[in-house]
Amino acid sequence: MSKAYDPKSSEPKAWERWTSAGAFNADPQRVVDGEARPYSILIPPPNVTAALHLGHALNNTIQDILTRAHRMMGYETLWMPGTDHAGIATQTMVDKKLKAEGKGGIAEYKKKELAGENGREEFVKLVQEFKDEYEARITHQLQTMGCSCDWRRQRFTMDDICARAVREAFFRLFRDGLIYRGKRLVNWDPVTQTALADDEVEMEEVKGAFYYLRYPMVKTVDGDQTIPVTWSELGARGYPDAHQHPEDEQAWVTVATTRPETYLGDTAVAMNPKDPRATSVRGFNVMLPLVGRIIPIIEDEYVVLPVKFGGEEGDAKAEMSTGFLKVTPAHDPNDYMIGQRHNLAQINVMAPDASISDQHGWEDVGDAQVFLGKSREDARKLVVKEFQARSVSEGSEGSLLEAIKPHVHSVGHSYRSHVPVEPYLSDQWYCKVSDDKLRGNAQRALKPEQRTEPSLKGWPDSRPKTQAPDSTDGSMTFYPARYAKTYETWHDNLRDWCISRQLWWGHRIPVWHIQPKGDYKESDLQDALDALADSQGCRGELCVRMIADHELASMRAFGVCTHTERAEDLMKNLWLALPNSEDKPLNRPDLFGSTGNSLESVLKVKSMIHSMQQDPDVLDTWFSSALWPLSTMGWPDTDAANSGNEPVDDFDALLKAFNPTSVLTTAREIITLWVSRMTMFNRYFLAQDKVHDKPPFKDVFIHAMIQDGEGRKMSKSLGNGVDPLDIIETHGADAMRFTLCQMTTQTQDVRMPVEPDPETGKNTSPKFDIGRNLCNKLWNASRFAMSMLEKNPVRPGPPIDPQQLSLVDRWMLSRVAHAQGAIGSALRSYQFKDYADALYDLLWRDFCDWYLESIKPTLSEDENQPAVLRSVLDSILRLMHPVTPFITESVFERLDSIPSREILGVSVMETKSTETLCQSGWPNLDPSLRDEIAEEGYDRCRALVSAIREVRASNQVPPKRSIVLHAPGELGSDVKRWNPLVETLANVREVTDSAPEGASVAFVFEGSEYKLSDLADAVDSGAQRERLEKELADLDKSISALEGRLNNPGYTQKAPAHLVDQTRAELTQKKVDRDSVRASLDSLG
RNA sequence: GGGCGCAUAGCUCAGUUGGCUAGAGCGCUGCCGUCACAUGGCAGAGGUCACAGGUUCGAGUCCUGUUGCGCCCA
C-alpha cells in the first residue's frame, strides 16, 4: 500500500467491484414476499440543462449516505435515478446554442412548421440530442461521486414509461373535471412566448416612474356620450378644488400608472367609494385620449385613497395615488379582479411578442393607430410623448401628461429570458389543485404535530381524517420541522395551476379541439366518438368535455382527450380524413378499415365537426415531475412497463414494494413546486387504483443551500460555482463527500469559501482539505494496523469475552459501541454533521491518537489484542462506508482476507450478500460493550498522560527523552497496573515510589503532588513557576465561581439535589488541587 | 408587505427538553524529520456568545424589543 491515499487509483476499482457485484440492484420481490423491509429514495431528477453543481453534490451525497447505510442495515434498498426534461429551460438553452452557432434558432423551425414542413419534429430532435449529451454527463458525475443508484432503472421524465404516466394522469384529471380550459391573465414571457407559472416569475427591483395621465371627463346628453364636463359643473356638485380651474374648461381625472402604454386597453377608471369626490363625478365617464373610447368611472374599495383624502400618511401607495385608478383588465392582475367584479370588458392590445396590436381583441383603435406595431417599451415612450403634446381640450392649459415621478418598484421577470413578464390574457389549461381532492389531500398528509392552528381553522376539512400509525393522513414529516410551515402556508393560499406551456419540448397535451357543427351537447359528441372508437378497437379511450361555453354554437368548443396512443392515432386519422369542404365525403376512408360499421361512425362524427385541431401546447415540466413517484415505478400499467426494452421487468412488484418511499431529500425552493404536487397526485391516483392513499414519502428532508464565503448564491454569472468533478479530481470523491456531510447542519444556508486552485485555476475550497486529510488518516491507520496484524496474526480460538480484555481494548470497544449508537440516531434524525463528527472523533481521536498509540508495545504480547484491533478497524470501515465508500471498500478488500476472531457482542447485521463492503452488514454492537468502568479508567490514564505531557512541553523536554515518574501511593499502583500505557504515551522510562534525587518538577494530579525527574540536564524553574501560577489562577477562578453558586441560598434550595452535591464535590476537589499547587510553588522557593 | 433563518474564537461552524470553567476544524504560536500518517504528532494562545430589557437559584440556550445580514413568498 502506498504511503499516501490515492483516490484516482482506488475509486474506479471500487466502482467496478460494486457494479460487477450488482451491489446497487434492488429486488422488489423480496419486499413483496416479506423477506426484507423496504428502503427507497427517489432522486430529485436534475435538469438536463447543465452539469451538476455543488448543491447537487450535497443533495446526492446525503441520499447516497442514507441509501448505503440502510442497505448495510439489511433493508432492500432502492435509490431510483433519473433526469428531468426541464421544458422551457432546455428549449431556451438549445435555442441559444443554435444562435451561438450562427444558426437561426427556434424561429427558423417555427417558419418551417408554418410552411407545412416538420419544423417542430426537427427541433425536438435537436433538443433530444442536447438532452442525451447532458444526461450522460450528469450520470457520469453522479457515478463518479459514488452514487449507489439502481442504474438499470434510470428514468427520464419524457421517456416512454413516464409519458404513459403523464397521459394517464392527464386523462383521469380531464375526465374527473380537475383539468379545465380557462381564459385567464397569465404571466406571459414575450421572448419565449409562453405562459409562466407564478413560481417561474422572479421579482426584480426596477427604476421606473409613475406617470400621471389626464383623462378628459365627459357626459352623455341625448345619446351623445362625448359632451364635455366642465369644472364649474363639478364645482356645483361639490367637487373639492374645482374652483381652482377655469370654470368653462373641460374637467379631467388624473390617473397614476407605471405602465402608461396599457392605457390603450383601459375599460374603466376606478375610485374608492369613500373618496369625497365620488358623489360629484358619479355618472360621468371619461374619454381615452387618441383612442376615443368612452369608459365609466366606477367605485371599488381596492383603490387606495390619496393622503389628501384620507389615505394613510407614510404609505407609499397613498402618497403616490391620485385616487383615480386606470383599470386595464387584460393587462394587470389586480385590474382583472376589478374587471370581474364590475363586469368590465377585457381589451387585449398586445400581440404575443408584447408589441401593440389590433389583431388580438382590440377594435376601437381610433387615432391610436400610431402605436400599432410598436414594442411595449417604444409604445410607452410614444404614449408619454403624445400625452405631453396634447391638452385636455383644445385651447386649455397644461398637457395631458401632468407629471412624471421617479419610482423604484419590483417587476416580475421571466426566470428564463429575464425580460419583464407581461400579464397577458390567454387560453390556458388549468389543473384544479384548489379542489379538496388535491389540496386537501396534500394538507392532510402532513403530520398532525406539524400543522398549525390558523391553517386548521382556515381549512377545517384539512384535519387528518385517519390517525393510525400506518395511516394515510398525517404520515408525512418534515425535517427540519420548520419547513412544514412553508408547505402548509402554500396550500392555504393555493391558486389553480396553469399547466400549459407554449413550447415544443415537453409532453404534448393529449387533447384535440373541436369546433362543433350545429348545436349539440357534450354527451352527443361523446356517444358518436365512442361508437367510432368501438369500431376501431379503442373503446372508452376518448373523453369529451366542453371547453368553451358560449351562447353562440359557433363559438363553442369541445376538447377530446385521448387516453392512449391508439386513440391519439384515431383522432389524427380523423383529422387527415376530414376534407376541406364540408360536403365532400371522406378523402381517406382507408384510414378506418373497410367495415360499413366504422365508415358509418366516421361519417356521423364528421357531420358533427366544423373543424378540429390538435392542441399545440405542452405540459408544464412540473406536471411530469409531480408524477415521479408513480412514473418511475411503472404506474399506471406495470404490464406495459414490463414489456418495454427495460433491463428489468419487475415493475409489477416495484410500486407495491417501494411506494411510499422512505424519504425525499431536496432543496427548500421546491417544497411548493414539487413536494406538494407529488403528494397530491400520489394520493389521488393511487386511491383511485385502490392501492393506498399515502403520501409518496414518509419523511421530507430539506437540506441547506450552499453559498460562497460571502453568503452569495453560487452561480455561473458570479463565477463562484464549484464543479464537483474538479473537487474529485484534486481531493477525491470521498473527501468531497465527507466535507459535504460535515457541512450539513440544520440551518438554512451554509457557507463555503471559494478560491481558485493555484495549480489548475479552477474554483475550489479549503474546506475539502478536511475530507482529504481524514481519508489519508484512515488510509495510514489501516495500513499500519494491517501491517501490525501481519506481524502479529490473530490466533484462532473461541469467541473472546470482552471482560477478559485489557483496559484499552475494553475502552476502544466501548467507544465503537458509543459511536455506533450516535451514528444511528444521527441518521434517524437526518443530522449529518453529527454523523461526520462521530466518525471523525472515532477514527482520529479515539482510534489513531489513543488506541493505536496505546497498543504499539503490547500487541505482540497480548494474545487477544490483534483480534480486537482487527474487529475495531472492521467496524470503523463499516461505519464510515456510507460517507466515504471508495476508500473503505479498498481497505476492506485487504482487511477481509486477514484472519479474525469473534468478540462476544460484536456482530454485523444480516444482508443478502457480503461480496463487497457496500453490500455487507452494518456493525451491531451489543449495548453491554459500553463499558463505563473502562472509559473512566482509561480517561484517568489519559488525564495523567496529558498532565505529564504538559510538564514536558512547558519545560521544553525533547520528545525523545525518557523521564522518571515519582508516583507513590494509589496512583503509582494504578500506573503499574495500567503498564505500559503511561510509559508509552508520556515517554516515561520508570515509575517509582521513591522521591527524586536530583532536579525534579512537580505537578498536581487529582489533588496530589507528584514529581517528574530526569527531564533534562537542568530544569527551568521559571517555566515551572509560570505554569503553576497559571494553574493556580485558573483554580482560584473556578473556586470562587463554585463558592458563589453554593453561597446562593436559592441555588441550594431550588436546584436539583444531585447538582448541588456535584458542585460541592467539585469545590472540595478544586480546593485540594489548589493546596497542592500552592505547596509546589512554595517548594520552588 | 407576509413568512423563515442567521448573528458564538481571525475564518467556517457545533452547542436538541436552561445546569459550561462555552467546543471542533482551519488559521496562529512553540517544540518535533519519530520506525502508520508532515494531508502528521505533542503542547499552547485566542470568546462580555450582536445589542437592550425580562423570566429564573441559574440564560449562549426561554420571552420581549432593537440593529445588521440572508433566503422564500407576495
Side-chain angles (χ1 to χ4, degrees):
Chain A
M1 288 172 82
S2 61
K3 197 172 165 185
Y5 173 59
D6 175 23
K8 275 184 203 158
S9 71
S10 294
E11 289 176 1
K13 284 182 209 158
W15 183 262
E16 168 58 27
R17 275 167 63 77
W18 297 328
T19 45
S20 60
F24 308 151
N25 296 351
D27 180 0
Q29 201 57 47
R30 291 187 75 227
V31 176
V32 172
D33 294 345
E35 287 169 35
R37 289 173 298 172
Y39 189 86
S40 56
I41 296 182
L42 300 166
I43 201 170
N47 291 349
V48 288
T49 44
L52 303 185
H53 53 68
L54 214 49
H56 291 111
L58 171 67
N59 190 345
N60 289 292
T61 295
I62 289 167
Q63 292 172 67
D64 197 41
I65 288 171
L66 292 169
T67 302
R68 286 181 182 269
H70 285 88
R71 188 182 290 121
M72 293 177 79
M73 289 172 189
Y75 289 85
E76 188 61 39
T77 304
L78 167 67
W79 183 11
M80 179 75 77
T83 51
D84 194 300
H85 69 277
I88 186 168
T90 313
Q91 178 164 322
T92 310
M93 291 288 289
V94 173
D95 182 40
K96 267 192 199 154
K97 191 174 155 230
L98 288 174
K99 280 181 190 150
E101 288 167 2
K103 297 170 193 164
I106 192 169
E108 289 294 311
Y109 294 88
K110 282 188 174 162
K111 271 184 217 157
K112 277 194 180 180
E113 183 73 11
L114 277 176
E117 296 169 50
N118 289 338
R120 182 169 182 153
E121 218 169 279
E122 282 175 35
F123 183 79
V124 167
K125 212 178 142 202
L126 288 175
V127 185
Q128 190 82 32
E129 283 164 15
F130 178 88
K131 165 251 155 186
D132 287 343
E133 185 189 326
Y134 272 96
E135 185 181 49
R137 205 161 144 191
I138 289 166
T139 306
H140 174 246
Q141 282 181 305
L142 288 172
Q143 295 185 342
T144 310
M145 284 169 49
C147 293
S148 65
C149 304
D150 189 346
W151 292 103
R152 303 169 303 163
R153 301 182 192 273
Q154 183 165 10
R155 293 257 74 81
F156 171 59
T157 53
M158 258 172 70
D159 65 23
D160 289 347
I161 288 180
C162 291
R164 195 162 35 224
V166 166
R167 186 182 278 279
E168 175 75 18
F170 190 96
F171 184 82
R172 287 196 198 179
L173 293 167
F174 185 88
R175 180 194 65 196
D176 301 346
L178 292 172
I179 281 180
Y180 62 90
R181 188 88 171 146
K183 203 177 209 32
R184 293 289 174 85
L185 265 196
V186 296
N187 307 302
W188 185 260
D189 178 342
V191 171
T192 56
Q193 302 212 359
T194 179
L196 299 173
D198 292 344
D199 7 67
E200 290 170 335
V201 176
E202 289 167 351
M203 302 310 287
E204 280 177 36
E205 293 277 297
V206 165
K207 280 182 199 162
F210 260 117
Y211 299 87
Y212 291 81
L213 308 180
R214 289 175 175 169
Y215 292 171
M217 210 181 286
V218 293
K219 60 181 177 182
T220 307
V221 176
D222 297 334
D224 184 353
Q225 295 187 310
T226 61
I227 308 300
V229 175
T230 61
W231 286 113
S232 61
E233 210 171 331
L234 280 186
R237 294 174 125 207
Y239 190 95
D241 303 336
H243 60 274
Q244 291 179 359
H245 301 278
E247 285 195 351
D248 52 352
E249 281 191 6
Q250 186 169 9
W252 69 80
V253 300
T254 306
V255 296
T257 177
T258 56
R259 305 181 56 213
E261 69 279 13
T262 62
Y263 100 96
L264 301 167
D266 283 3
T267 52
V269 165
M271 65 190 307
N272 194 302
K274 291 194 200 101
D275 193 309
R277 296 166 296 183
T279 46
S280 42
V281 300
R282 200 166 284 158
F284 292 154
N285 296 325
V286 296
M287 188 197 281
L288 285 183
L290 283 86
V291 181
R293 185 182 308 140
I294 309 288
I295 59 176
I297 299 174
I298 59 169
E299 291 167 46
D300 195 288
E301 300 274 357
Y302 174 81
V303 182
V304 177
L305 284 169
V307 175
K308 191 176 169 187
F309 295 112
E312 204 175 316
E313 210 154 333
D315 174 5
K317 276 187 181 167
E319 303 272 1
M320 290 294 203
S321 170
T322 64
F324 294 102
L325 179 75
K326 62 189 275 306
V327 184
T328 327
H331 292 282
D332 182 279
N334 294 314
D335 293 6
Y336 180 84
M337 303 293 280
I338 297 173
Q340 295 281 301
R341 287 196 285 273
H342 298 271
N343 221 355
L344 298 177
Q346 300 163 348
I347 299 177
N348 175 26
V349 298
M350 287 186 194
D353 65 356
S355 66
I356 306 300
S357 163
D358 59 354
Q359 302 296 305
H360 299 84
W362 178 25
E363 283 158 8
D364 57 349
V365 180
D367 293 339
Q369 49 194 263
V370 289
F371 301 115
L372 293 179
K374 296 269 185 279
S375 73
R376 51 185 170 164
E377 294 80 10
D378 291 345
R380 177 173 303 177
K381 287 180 203 147
L382 193 56
V383 167
V384 172
K385 202 175 142 202
E386 291 289 343
F387 270 63
Q388 197 159 25
R390 289 156 198 261
S391 52
V392 173
S393 59
E394 220 168 309
S396 67
E397 279 181 59
S399 80
L400 286 171
L401 180 71
E402 188 171 294
I404 301 177
K405 291 184 191 168
H407 175 61
V408 176
H409 56 132
S410 53
V411 174
H413 285 66
S414 163
Y415 90 111
R416 286 317 311 166
S417 67
H418 302 291
V419 301
V421 160
E422 186 66 41
Y424 195 73
L425 206 54
S426 73
D427 285 313
Q428 301 289 338
W429 290 103
Y430 283 84
C431 177
K432 205 174 171 191
V433 285
S434 58
D435 192 291
D436 183 73
K437 290 193 276 293
L438 297 172
R439 182 212 320 248
N441 264 331
Q443 288 170 314
R444 286 186 290 273
L446 200 56
K447 190 181 183 180
E449 292 89 320
Q450 296 195 334
R451 293 300 304 276
T452 64
E453 267 315 305
S455 169
L456 287 166
K457 266 187 196 148
W459 302 95
D461 287 347
S462 76
R463 272 175 208 283
K465 289 172 181 164
T466 57
Q467 290 217 356
D470 194 33
S471 77
T472 53
D473 282 345
S475 61
M476 193 167 89
T477 313
F478 275 87
Y479 294 84
R482 70 184 115 93
Y483 291 114
K485 198 167 177 181
T486 308
Y487 178 88
E488 191 182 51
T489 316
W490 158 261
H491 292 102
D492 293 347
N493 309 306
L494 195 58
R495 291 198 298 170
D496 282 351
W497 172 22
C498 175
I499 52 171
S500 45
R501 295 289 182 276
Q502 290 66 50
L503 299 172
W504 281 351
W505 178 242
H507 292 280
R508 192 155 183 177
I509 289 174
V511 174
W512 288 78
H513 296 246
I514 288 185
Q515 269 201 295
K517 190 193 288 178
D519 189 5
Y520 56 80
K521 289 181 297 191
E522 190 177 275
S523 57
D524 297 330
L525 183 59
Q526 180 78 61
D527 291 345
L529 279 168
D530 277 347
L532 174 60
D534 206 11
S535 77
Q536 300 297 309
C538 52
R539 180 165 186 79
E541 293 175 6
L542 294 168
C543 179
V544 179
R545 286 281 175 264
M546 170 89 75
I547 56 174
D549 199 1
H550 201 274
E551 292 151 32
L552 290 171
S554 63
M555 299 274 285
R556 278 194 200 157
F558 292 97
V560 180
C561 183
T562 59
H563 194 183
T564 58
E565 285 296 333
R566 251 182 336 198
E568 185 65 40
D569 286 344
L570 185 150
M571 293 303 288
K572 219 169 267 173
N573 287 341
L574 194 60
W575 178 68
L576 285 172
L578 279 183
N580 295 335
S581 160
E582 293 178 24
D583 302 322
K584 282 186 191 159
L586 289 182
N587 54 1
R588 293 283 304 276
D590 57 299
L591 291 167
F592 294 93
S594 51
T595 67
N597 207 359
S598 60
L599 204 60
E600 193 183 316
S601 311
V602 180
L603 290 172
K604 166 75 179 156
V605 171
K606 177 193 166 278
S607 72
M608 298 172 81
I609 297 177
H610 174 262
S611 66
M612 67 184 284
Q613 187 204 354
Q614 188 181 9
D615 194 299
D617 291 353
V618 299
L619 286 164
D620 179 13
T621 294
W622 293 103
F623 193 89
S624 54
S625 310
L627 293 164
W628 195 236
L630 296 165
S631 56
T632 52
M633 308 275 184
W635 182 88
D637 186 351
T638 52
D639 286 342
N642 280 336
S643 66
N645 295 322
E646 295 294 313
V648 277
D649 59 357
D650 52 10
F651 280 96
D652 38 353
L654 205 55
L655 186 82
K656 213 181 289 173
F658 294 119
N659 182 312
T661 61
S662 308
V663 59
L664 177 78
T665 303
T666 192
R668 70 175 174 282
E669 69 242 27
I670 55 177
I671 292 173
T672 52
L673 289 179
W674 194 43
V675 181
S676 157
R677 289 165 183 170
M678 280 194 284
T679 308
M680 292 177 181
F681 279 5
N682 206 70
R683 299 196 74 186
Y684 183 72
F685 292 123
L686 291 185
Q688 281 189 337
D689 293 347
K690 302 204 169 24
V691 175
H692 64 66
D693 181 25
K694 293 176 192 165
F697 6 79
K698 298 183 190 91
D699 293 345
V700 179
F701 174 68
I702 306 294
H703 68 252
M705 288 244 307
I706 300 185
Q707 302 174 333
D708 70 3
E710 278 81 54
R712 299 171 306 182
K713 258 186 178 179
M714 286 191 173
S715 74
K716 261 188 199 162
S717 51
L718 282 172
N720 58 356
V722 176
D723 184 343
L725 289 184
D726 289 343
I727 304 302
I728 292 172
E729 174 73 18
T730 53
H731 290 73
D734 289 328
M736 181 180 76
R737 293 168 60 113
F738 182 83
T739 295
L740 290 172
C741 178
Q742 202 190 31
M743 284 175 65
T744 301
T745 60
Q746 306 286 299
T747 54
Q748 71 181 14
D749 307 308
V750 290
R751 288 187 187 191
M752 164 87 73
V754 173
E755 49 190 58
D757 185 300
E759 281 176 31
T760 61
K762 288 172 176 165
N763 278 346
T764 183
S765 172
K767 284 228 156 201
F768 293 111
D769 294 349
I770 298 169
R772 185 196 53 191
N773 296 355
L774 181 99
C775 290
N776 196 54
K777 194 73 181 173
L778 173 64
W779 182 256
N780 281 293
S782 307
R783 198 158 62 93
F784 178 57
M786 289 191 287
S787 76
M788 291 213 292
L789 286 171
E790 261 170 46
K791 285 176 215 148
N792 310 285
V794 176
R795 290 184 223 153
I800 297 168
D801 180 356
Q803 290 307 313
Q804 304 165 356
L805 295 171
S806 71
L807 176 69
V808 68
D809 290 319
R810 280 183 287 140
W811 172 80
M812 189 67 233
L813 287 170
S814 183
R815 295 311 298 159
V816 176
H818 183 266
Q820 188 238 8
I823 289 167
S825 73
L827 280 171
R828 278 189 294 279
S829 52
Y830 304 99
Q831 312 259 14
F832 292 93
K833 186 192 165 55
D834 290 356
Y835 184 5
D837 285 349
L839 292 180
Y840 190 95
D841 289 342
L842 177 67
L843 171 71
W844 206 310
R845 304 275 83 100
D846 296 339
F847 186 65
C848 293
D849 288 354
W850 292 98
Y851 185 71
L852 287 182
E853 294 303 328
S854 293
I855 65 170
K856 277 177 181 175
T858 52
L859 196 74
S860 55
E861 295 149 28
D862 187 329
E863 65 167 327
N864 291 328
Q865 207 150 50
V868 177
L869 173 62
R870 165 82 175 70
S871 164
V872 168
L873 180 58
D874 179 86
S875 294
I876 290 175
L877 290 175
R878 288 172 197 272
L879 290 171
M880 288 186 72
H881 178 80
V883 183
T884 55
F886 293 103
I887 185 171
T888 49
E889 189 72 61
S890 307
V891 173
F892 185 80
E893 190 182 353
R894 293 179 167 89
L895 181 67
D896 207 28
S897 59
I898 293 176
S900 63
R901 184 168 155 195
E902 191 185 341
I903 296 167
L904 289 175
V906 182
S907 62
V908 297
M909 296 182 185
E910 200 183 322
T911 53
K912 62 181 175 183
S913 163
T914 56
E915 199 179 333
T916 60
L917 174 61
C918 165
Q919 292 157 284
S920 51
W922 189 248
N924 202 0
L925 286 104
D926 194 274
S928 68
L929 289 167
R930 292 200 191 179
D931 188 334
E932 292 294 330
I933 295 166
E935 295 223 16
E936 264 173 43
Y938 192 71
D939 283 348
R940 256 189 95 211
C941 172
R942 288 204 294 181
L944 178 61
V945 168
S946 295
I948 297 172
R949 282 173 175 174
E950 195 184 333
V951 175
R952 294 183 64 120
S954 63
N955 284 287
Q956 309 268 328
V957 179
K960 276 182 179 166
R961 185 168 187 119
S962 270
I963 59 173
V964 177
L965 168 63
H966 301 268
E970 207 183 318
L971 183 68
S973 50
D974 282 339
V975 172
K976 280 174 190 146
R977 193 155 45 80
W978 297 334
N979 180 284
L981 291 177
V982 176
E983 289 86 334
T984 313
L985 298 167
N987 198 5
V988 167
R989 164 168 41 106
E990 187 191 345
V991 181
T992 172
D993 298 352
S994 64
E997 284 175 14
S1000 70
V1001 174
F1003 68 99
V1004 173
F1005 182 71
E1006 295 177 340
S1008 304
E1009 189 192 73
Y1010 301 97
K1011 290 197 164 134
L1012 294 166
S1013 68
D1014 204 15
L1015 298 183
D1017 302 328
V1019 168
D1020 180 354
S1021 65
Q1024 283 184 72
R1025 177 172 294 281
E1026 207 175 299
R1027 177 174 56 80
L1028 288 168
E1029 274 170 354
K1030 183 185 170 288
E1031 212 170 318
L1032 188 62
D1034 286 351
L1035 283 166
D1036 279 337
K1037 197 179 148 201
S1038 45
I1039 285 169
S1040 65
L1042 291 169
E1043 277 175 346
R1045 204 183 299 170
L1046 286 166
N1047 288 338
N1048 180 347
Y1051 179 67
T1052 45
Q1053 282 160 26
K1054 294 191 181 171
H1058 75 274
L1059 273 172
V1060 178
D1061 290 347
Q1062 202 179 303
T1063 312
R1064 289 209 176 98
E1066 221 174 302
L1067 181 61
T1068 313
Q1069 177 68 50
K1070 298 277 180 196
K1071 281 182 171 168
V1072 175
D1073 285 357
R1074 182 175 62 183
D1075 293 345
S1076 301
V1077 173
R1078 271 188 189 148
S1080 302
L1081 268 173
D1082 289 347
S1083 70
L1084 270 180

